[in-house]
């Protein structure tokens, strides 16, 4: 009951603030952070050739670029903008630090963040259990999700399971599917085939889930 009350308070707060929160989710190394940077129009979120994101990184509008780290005990602190990676990447964030951080808020004057739209960059799924748990913890707090799928590894069983058991049962207003890394597929024909394959898998899983849940 205590957890439910806290969740209701969070939802009520979002409604009062008219804030719309979108989480970017998906398996590790699908290009989630790169996609977030593309939306913002500037490289804010650290990216790497190995799984990088360790914490929940909330992008929200601010007249000046600045960062605040919010901790689970209720306090928060401002950190220098060039030190973001020390609080959000696996290279620096220890398990002990991860257990204390609630989220890292990045304020930036990006047009996409106007009108109280927040974007949350999440750790990659199916990498480490602690990172997956961080991503799952944000699902009850968001209004929509962008599920990033790599065109190089289209719609794995883990992504299917996450879609069926987590996203479709989270009462989200919208799930948006993004096929990333299309430019690395070689030819437009290959890209079209991959997208058609992913669309078919999504339709099968969504419809099958609806039949089981709704009859």
């Amino acid at each position: 009951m205590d957890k439910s009350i806290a969740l209701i308070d969070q939802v009520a707060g979002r409604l009062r603030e008219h804030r719309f929160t979108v989480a970017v989710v998906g398996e590790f190394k699908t290009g989630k952070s790169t996609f977030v940077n593309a939306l913002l129009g500037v490289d804010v979120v650290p990216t790497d050739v190995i799984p990088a994101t360790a914490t929940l990184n909330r992008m929200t509008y601010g007249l000046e670029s600045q960062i605040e780290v919010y901790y689970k005990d209720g306090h928060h602190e401002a950190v220098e903008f060039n030190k973001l990676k020390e609080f959000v990447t696996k290279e620096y964030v220890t398990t002990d630090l991860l257990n204390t951080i609630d989220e890292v808020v990045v304020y930036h004057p990006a047009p996409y963040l106007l009108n109280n739209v927040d974007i949350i960059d999440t750790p990659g799924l199916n990498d480490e259990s602690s990172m997956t748990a961080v991503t799952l913890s944000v699902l009850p707090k968001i209004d929509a999700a962008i599920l990033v799928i790599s065109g190089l590894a289209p719609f794995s069983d883990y992504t299917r399971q996450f879609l069926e058991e987590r996203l479709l049962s989270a009462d989200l207003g919208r799930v948006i599917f993004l096929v990333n890394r299309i430019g690395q597929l070689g030819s437009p024909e290959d890209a079209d085939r991959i997208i058609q394959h992913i669309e078919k898998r999504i339709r099968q899983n969504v419809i099958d889930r609806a039949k089981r849940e709704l009859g």
Side-chain angles (χ1 to χ4, degrees):
M1 287 297 293
D2 289 340
K3 290 182 179 179
S4 297
I5 290 172
L7 225 89
I8 291 170
D9 286 342
Q10 291 172 3
V11 172
R14 289 209 311 274
L15 290 174
R16 284 193 298 269
E17 297 171 3
H18 301 288
R19 188 164 297 280
F20 189 83
T21 303
V22 182
V24 180
V25 299
E27 294 190 57
F28 67 95
K29 299 317 298 171
T30 53
K32 297 185 302 299
S33 296
T34 301
F35 170 67
V36 170
N37 286 336
L39 282 182
L40 299 180
V42 63
D43 289 343
V44 174
V45 186
T47 58
D48 201 343
V49 294
I50 60 175
T53 306
T55 57
L56 297 176
N57 307 322
R58 179 184 295 269
M59 314 296 150
T60 193
Y61 188 83
L63 293 177
E64 296 181 357
S65 298
Q66 55 182 327
I67 298 168
E68 287 193 356
V69 180
Y70 286 78
Y71 295 89
K72 293 178 180 178
D73 63 6
H75 85 282
H76 59 92
E77 63 173 338
V79 299
E80 295 180 21
F81 201 78
N82 60 0
K83 292 186 177 181
L84 175 62
K85 65 180 181 179
E86 296 180 18
F87 292 88
V88 303
T89 61
K90 291 177 62 176
E91 181 181 358
Y92 292 92
V93 177
T94 63
T95 301
D96 291 339
L97 180 59
L98 181 65
N99 290 334
T100 64
I101 293 178
D102 185 26
E103 64 179 12
V104 178
V105 180
V106 179
Y107 297 89
H108 190 72
Y112 196 90
L113 302 175
L114 288 170
N115 303 318
N116 292 330
V117 174
D118 283 0
I119 301 173
I120 299 181
D121 186 27
T122 63
L125 300 165
N126 203 20
D127 178 19
E128 296 182 18
S129 58
S130 59
M131 306 299 168
T132 299
V134 169
T135 297
L136 296 180
S137 71
V138 80
L139 295 185
K141 308 174 185 178
I142 63 177
D143 301 293
I146 298 176
L147 177 59
V148 181
I149 302 169
S150 172
L152 303 178
F155 214 79
S156 68
D157 284 340
Y158 189 91
T159 295
R160 176 194 58 77
Q161 182 181 7
F162 175 73
L163 172 64
E164 287 185 350
E165 299 180 5
R166 298 294 184 174
L167 284 186
L168 296 182
S169 61
D171 292 328
L172 291 176
R174 184 176 298 269
V175 179
I176 300 165
F177 300 93
L178 170 74
V179 182
N180 207 9
R181 303 188 185 280
I182 287 294
Q184 297 174 259
L185 291 176
S187 69
E189 291 78 14
D190 288 340
D192 288 342
R193 290 178 61 199
I194 288 295
I195 291 175
Q196 290 172 9
H197 169 73
I198 293 173
E199 284 183 343
K200 181 179 178 181
R201 292 289 303 274
I202 290 171
R203 290 181 187 278
Q204 287 177 340
N205 286 278
V206 172
I207 291 174
D208 289 346
R209 172 82 183 202
K211 286 180 179 177
R212 290 198 301 271
E213 296 292 327
L214 305 174

